Structure formats: structure tokens, C-alpha cells
Amino acid sequence: MFIIKNIKKNKILRRILYKFLFLFIFFKIKRNKPGDFNHILVLGKGYSLNRLPSHINNIDKPSLVILTNFNKNDLDNHQLFNSIRKFPILILGNITEPTLSFKVLKKLKIFDFYIQRIKFENKKKNKLNSYSSPNLSEIYGKRKSFKYDAYTSNTMYLPNDIHFFLERLRKKKINFSFNSGLASILLSCTFKPKKITLFGFDFYKSNYFNKHLLENMSLKEFNLLTSNSKKFARVFKEIISVNSRIKFTIFTKHKILFKKKNLIKL
């Protein structure tokens, strides 16, 4: 145990460790590539996610399900698990690269693992210091964890389309906040689906679907996130506007004040 702890503290050894674990884990995980991307179901961790089991049979069959920052026991709820287990799953995690329990993970049909990072070519690395908007340093920096390397031979980065979207917001001088939930919605748009359905995106106007927000963060972070609720929602509005050809449906506890022809709020 002492040796493992010391390996995990060293970035190079940590990366080697997860690559080694991949040799034992790879064949125990089911893989499933979607036949198309016509309808993508994106799941955040807001309280409104609890509505999914009662609505899953009332929405079109999803081609792909995106799980945003799901960790350890987040799918222990059998109704929630059974709602998505038949569909290809894409897992998106933040810098910590959170993972579900292996017991649950091996029962899912995994398409890909993505991290909330944008990979730059060498010629662009000198621009990294200029990205100073709130929270954006979290997606322009380097990987630190490498956990996903234990589950896939090619951990995916966010596509450059997301970089261009964020640059667009900055050029418009929009005061905004960004997180992995918004990154997962933007990622779903890059597959160019006809429909995107969202559960669990309450923009910090609710607790998590299975626990209080304060169980996962400090009081300072809690106050920061809840006070920036409108800034998160503003980015969501821009996503809807830019992707006018996609039909969005969102189940949320957030009071959305704007109206768009391509958005249904339930």
C-alpha cells in the first residue's frame, strides 16, 4: 500500500501504473460504438436527474448517453442504472478523471472516455498564459491524473470546436462561468445530432441528485458556484443559440428565462 501511494504521487510512475492496469482491465469492459448520433442523452448530476427513470420511455431512444463527472457509487440507484445500461456510454470527467465503481462500469457499454481538457498543438502552447477567463484554466492545462488510461487505450480530449466557442464568448465580452457540465453539452453538439435531451443540469439551483452539494465541496466553493448560477445559464443560452439546428429538451429545476425555438424546458 505504501508503494502504491508513492507511485501515485509521481506523475510519470502514476501514468505507467494506469497503463499497466489497462492490460488487466481492457477485456473486462464492454465496448459499443453508436451506429449514429441522431439523439444524444446528456446527464449532469443536478437533482433533476431523478426524473430520468420515469421519463426514459417517453423520449426517443438515445444513440448515445454522456455521463458528466459520475463517480464511484453514483449509479448504485437501480432505476437510474437500468435507464441507461442498454445504450452506448461516453464518460466525461474533469481534471481528477473520476470513475464509477468497476462493478458498475463493466456492466455498461462504453464508447469512449473524455477529459475536460483541450489539447493544443506545440505552436499554440505559448498562448496558454493568455487564457484568464473564470475557470477556463481548468480545460487548457495539462492532464494530472491519468486514471482513464486504465480503461482505454486512447483517452480523448475535448475537440477544438469547444475552444472556438469559448473564444467567441470572450470576443463578445460575455461575463460567464464554465464547468464540466457545460463542456459535456458542447461535446454532444460536436457529434451534430438532431436532438439532445438533458437531465441533471440545474446550474447549481439544486443539490446533487443523490447528495447535498456541500458533501462534495467546501463552503467557499459552494458559495462561488451558487452565486454564479446565472453565468452558467448564460453559457447554456449561447450553446442553444449557436446550435440552432439541434432540438434541445431540458428537464431542470433552474428557471430558464429565455425562449428559443429549438429549446423545450420541462
Side-chain angles (χ1 to χ4, degrees):
M1 184 63 69
F2 176 77
I3 296 175
I4 295 295
K5 285 183 178 180
N6 277 276
I7 288 175
K8 288 185 176 181
K9 289 179 181 179
N10 184 291
K11 184 176 180 179
I12 296 175
L13 293 178
R14 186 166 63 245
R15 191 166 191 175
I16 293 173
L17 170 66
Y18 289 122
K19 287 290 186 183
F20 177 75
L21 291 175
F22 168 78
L23 299 175
F24 298 91
I25 292 174
F26 179 78
F27 294 105
K28 295 182 180 180
I29 295 179
K30 300 174 186 176
R31 314 283 167 169
N32 193 341
K33 183 177 180 179
D36 59 66
F37 296 97
N38 290 332
H39 179 208
I40 299 180
L41 178 62
V42 189
L43 306 183
K45 294 174 66 173
Y47 189 81
S48 59
L49 178 61
N50 288 312
R51 300 175 64 186
L52 177 63
S54 61
H55 287 276
I56 189 65
N57 294 323
N58 300 324
I59 62 176
D60 291 343
K61 179 181 176 181
S63 310
L64 176 69
V65 178
I66 297 179
L67 302 182
T68 308
N69 264 349
F70 277 65
N71 195 11
K72 295 182 180 178
N73 303 320
D74 282 345
L75 281 184
D76 280 359
N77 180 301
H78 292 294
Q79 286 186 315
L80 184 59
F81 172 75
N82 288 330
S83 298
I84 64 171
R85 66 178 301 179
K86 298 178 182 178
F87 311 115
I89 303 291
L90 185 156
I91 292 176
L92 171 69
N94 60 19
I95 185 63
T96 66
E97 300 185 25
T99 55
L100 292 162
S101 68
F102 189 66
K103 177 181 68 175
V104 171
L105 196 63
K106 66 182 183 180
K107 293 179 182 178
L108 297 174
K109 299 176 180 179
I110 304 298
F111 169 48
D112 254 330
F113 285 85
Y114 276 73
I115 54 170
Q116 191 189 341
R117 284 287 181 273
I118 293 176
K119 194 171 187 178
F120 281 95
E121 300 297 332
N122 289 335
K123 62 183 180 181
K124 294 182 179 179
K125 285 185 177 179
N126 62 335
K127 295 183 179 180
L128 289 178
N129 292 332
S130 66
Y131 299 119
S132 56
S133 294
N135 300 324
L136 294 189
S137 60
E138 296 179 5
I139 66 168
Y140 287 114
K142 296 180 180 180
R143 285 180 73 186
K144 297 179 180 178
S145 173
F146 302 102
K147 284 183 184 177
Y148 290 167
D149 287 355
Y151 304 97
T152 177
S153 60
N154 185 26
T155 301
M156 302 294 290
Y157 287 74
L158 297 175
N160 284 334
D161 285 355
I162 295 179
H163 161 72
F164 298 136
F165 174 84
L166 296 174
E167 285 304 295
R168 179 178 175 273
L169 295 187
R170 276 197 278 236
K171 287 178 181 178
K172 291 178 69 174
K173 297 183 179 180
I174 292 174
N175 189 15
F176 67 95
S177 290
F178 193 73
N179 63 2
S180 53
L182 293 168
S184 68
I185 300 173
L186 282 167
L187 177 60
S188 69
C189 293
T190 66
F191 291 104
K192 302 190 183 305
K194 295 178 181 177
K195 299 179 182 179
I196 294 175
T197 302
L198 307 164
F199 285 86
F201 292 90
D202 301 332
F203 307 110
Y204 302 102
K205 285 297 184 180
S206 76
N207 286 311
Y208 287 135
F209 73 101
N210 58 353
K211 64 185 70 174
H212 196 285
L213 282 169
L214 279 172
E215 290 184 45
N216 272 47
M217 62 188 69
S218 66
L219 180 60
K220 182 180 179 180
E221 185 180 3
F222 171 82
N223 290 332
L224 177 64
L225 291 174
T226 53
S227 64
N228 284 334
S229 177
K230 290 182 179 179
K231 293 181 181 179
F232 291 114
R234 178 62 192 274
V235 179
F236 178 65
K237 179 181 178 180
E238 291 294 320
I239 294 173
I240 302 300
S241 300
V242 169
N243 296 281
S244 58
R245 293 184 179 181
I246 300 174
K247 180 181 177 182
F248 292 85
T249 301
I250 184 169
F251 292 77
T252 182
K253 294 182 72 67
H254 184 85
K255 187 176 181 180
I256 296 177
L257 301 177
F258 64 89
K259 293 183 179 180
K260 296 287 182 181
K261 291 182 179 180
N262 61 327
L263 174 65
I264 298 173
K265 190 263 185 184
L266 296 171

